[in-house]
Amino acid sequence: MAKYEVNLKINNIPVTVEEGSTILDAAKKLNFRVPTLCQHPDLCVAGNCRVCVVEQKGAKALPAACATPVSEGMEIFTNSQKVRTARTHIIELLLSEHNSECTSCYKNGKCELQALANEYRVNENLFIKLVDKNTYTIDNFSPAIIKDDSKCIRCQRCVRTCASMQFVSALAVSHKGDKQKISTFFDKSMNDVVCTNCGQCVNRCPTGALVEKNYIDQVWDAVNNPKIHVVVQTAPSVRIGLGEDLGLEPGNRVTGKMVSALKRIGFDSVLDTDFSADLTIMEEGTELLTRLKKALVDKDETVALPMTTSCSPGWIKFIEHKYPSLLPNVSTCKSPQQMFGALAKTFYAQKKGLKVENMISVSIMPCTAKKYEADRPEMRSSGFKDVDYVLTTRELAMMIRQAGICFEDLPNEKYDSIMGESSGAAVIFGATGGVMEAALRTAYEIVTGREVPFANLDIVPVRGFEGIKEAKVLIKDVLPEWGFLEGAELSCAIAHGLANANKLMAAVVSGEVNYHFIEIMACPGGCLGGGGQPIPTSPEIRAKRMEAIYEEDANMAIRKSHENPEITAIYAEFLGKPNGHKSHELLHTHYVKRKGY
Amino acid sequence: MTDVNVIINEKIEKFGKERQALMPILQGIVADKNYITEDELLLVAETLDLSAADVYGTATFYTFLDVVPRGKYVIRVCKTISCHMAGKDQIIDTLEKTLSIKLGETTTDKKFTLLQANCMGWCHKGPVMLINDEVYPELTPEKAIAIIAEYIAK
Ligand code: SF4
Ligand code: SF4
Ligand code: SF4
Ligand code: FES
Ligand code: FES
């Protein structure tokens, strides 16, 4: 249906926008900034914070710009005295219920409420302070997320995120009036409920009410301790996100500068999760081919297909809660982070002659769920915690600032060895469809002896932001040992964001769809849109990060996981063969059924 | 007390297995025994395929849907302005003394819970209290004591 155009004036300047646009959209088009708190480009309209109020000529009440559609002939003033006074009062009212302790707040300097208070120069004493009268809880039981109700402005971005993007609804609005708050089921700890630790709510919370649990001090202690050998691994999408938190535009690839910064901070060895992403492809690809063989040749009916990926710990916790009957379908491969951790404290330690008790392994992740994953009791294959501390992209940015490093001026440096080598297939793990593409590049070649039949190895059908993607690959002229796959059509699906994952799983359960292999990433866009990535994250920013990831891949000398020389070497020297005995011990895991709330 | 499953099924038959059955189910459970337990809320959420947090949020929004244990008789004294001016504080004082509990508490024999509520629309006849579904207007401390005595005798 054709959209009609609507003409209106904002601050006396005429503007034409599509019907259905909001006053906020129209103001943006003219580059007038209207402050917002509850509004977020990823979420539906809530209209509850009111800081976006504007004046409409002829109307008595001040409409909320984010929630009011434009109409023909409308005359809007975004910054009249009436508007400014109202906004100041609204901010003051929010602050009257807010535990303002900015100097000791984790969000200090990165808080949308603080920024507004700064801009409007509020006088805090106008309204009775309710904070002193209420009691608030701080929930810090989760290894990943801290929820501090005294900092919550009840904008409900988190509630909308968890419901619409993630289909988890771990958080809801409870109680009312001055007692209204954001609650889990029966106000249990985030650690005891269905929350997947994906951190999407953390990424959208405008204040310090939902933040990651940070391990910055612990990591500083480790790097400053001369007796401890600290290894650090960096996930694929950190290198394309980090710059944003250090003053660069979205879409900047900062791999070399990031490595430099980590060395300057004092890590003893700066290594790459991309190495273990390549390893994941070897293990997961072999697992898939084995399952297919069992199903097609041995006619083993107990084989669980489709097989789903297991790199995303938010997805793992989701399926453990919501579809426990499908747990056998999940690949037993640990995530690249945990494969890396297990090898760092075994293979790496042996090669470098290190005592494991004198090692600390740190990972930099775009993810908050990885903090939870590292804490799982299964993740101690080395006999120690395989990954001691997980920092988000944001925490690393904070450490770089604390270290007094001028990021933009850093030289590009290379990863250390061993476990620092990687392929383009590994870096695309950071984008939705990337694991699928990397797996196909390798599996197809193992089976047929030829490269995947896509120009430049770019498997375009699995790329992009569509919620659920499908791809079919015809396998023909196979090598003799893979005869059973001759003429088979490998059917794959990809979902990102747990709401899409849920749709796909519901279809799998109902038998409506029939796939062999499914890739799931808990976060919208995949890791590039992870809960631990720089704030803000929006559809445009995700698109820029995705471009950067594929650029990074295209620029790599090696584009296929099985061609990474360190991968061939580790199998020859240490692991034996993919899915072999040693791999099972160190690189594979199991899952647990969890309760439904 | 009726089995919750019976209440849930009865309401589902009438209102469907969708969200619109939520309020009737919650009200049904409260009508039966004055409060809803954690397990019951969970059962409701699972049956209607709703998020448990969401069901908890709905239940806690309404003053009359309690999710903490309540006595057999829930007393709610109006705290809004007309009743306040008509002397609701005295009534609360009297009830606290008579029952030996404070506002928000339940007697040890689990018979009475004493709470406040907002305006009940009886402003012209305040102060007013509600015992379960029964309204008691134009209270005086003496009247309040007499009413409680009746309930104790029940
Ligand atoms: S949440 Fe924002 S305004 Fe509140 S204390 Fe923290 S930094 Fe300050
Ligand atoms: S926790 Fe954060 S996102 Fe959620 S309502 Fe409170 S302030 Fe908003
Ligand atoms: S971390 Fe993810 S699953 Fe948990 S409450 Fe936030 S959005 Fe929901
Ligand atoms: S941003 Fe418009 S009401 Fe909150
Ligand atoms: S003020 Fe008490 S009933 Fe209205």
Side-chain angles (χ1 to χ4, degrees), chain A residues 24 35-39 46-53 64-67 155:
Chain A
L24 188 65
T36 53
L37 277 174
C38 65
Q39 188 270 348
N48 62 32
C49 77
R50 313 312 287 183
V51 298
C52 68
V53 288
C66 75
C155 67

Side-chain angles (χ1 to χ4, degrees), chain A residues 145 158 161-162 166 168 170-171 190 195-202:
Chain A
I145 292 172
C158 55
T161 302
C162 198
Q166 300 300 66
V168 176
L171 298 172
M190 296 277 275
C195 167
T196 66
N197 302 299
C198 72
Q200 286 300 318
C201 56
V202 170

Side-chain angles (χ1 to χ4, degrees), chain A residues 95 98-102 105 107-108 111 113-114 151 207-208:
Chain A
L95 290 173
H98 186 81
N99 176 18
S100 309
E101 43 166 28
C102 301
C105 182
K107 265 303 190 61
N108 190 1
C111 171
L113 180 62
Q114 186 189 43
K151 308 266 175 72
T207 71

Side-chain angles (χ1 to χ4, degrees), chain A residues 168-176 183-188 596-597, chain B residues 36-38 41-42 51-54 56-58 60-63 67:
Chain A
V168 176
S169 285
L171 298 172
V173 184
S174 75
H175 303 86
K176 62 168 170 267
S183 293
T184 57
F185 179 61
F186 258 86
D187 277 311
K188 291 174 186 298
Y597 56 82
Chain B
I36 317 167
T37 64
E38 185 179 319
L41 269 191
L42 199 57
S51 129
D54 225 357
Y56 174 73
T58 305
T60 54
F61 180 85
Y62 295 98
T63 314
V67 295

Side-chain angles (χ1 to χ4, degrees), chain A residues 219 222-223 230-234 267 340 360-364 386-391:
Chain A
V219 173
V223 294
V230 193
V231 292
V232 64
Q233 51 165 319
T234 61
F267 289 98
F340 191 101
I360 293 270
S361 104
V362 176
S363 71
I364 316 291
D386 293 333
V387 176
D388 294 283
Y389 303 115
V390 179
L391 304 183

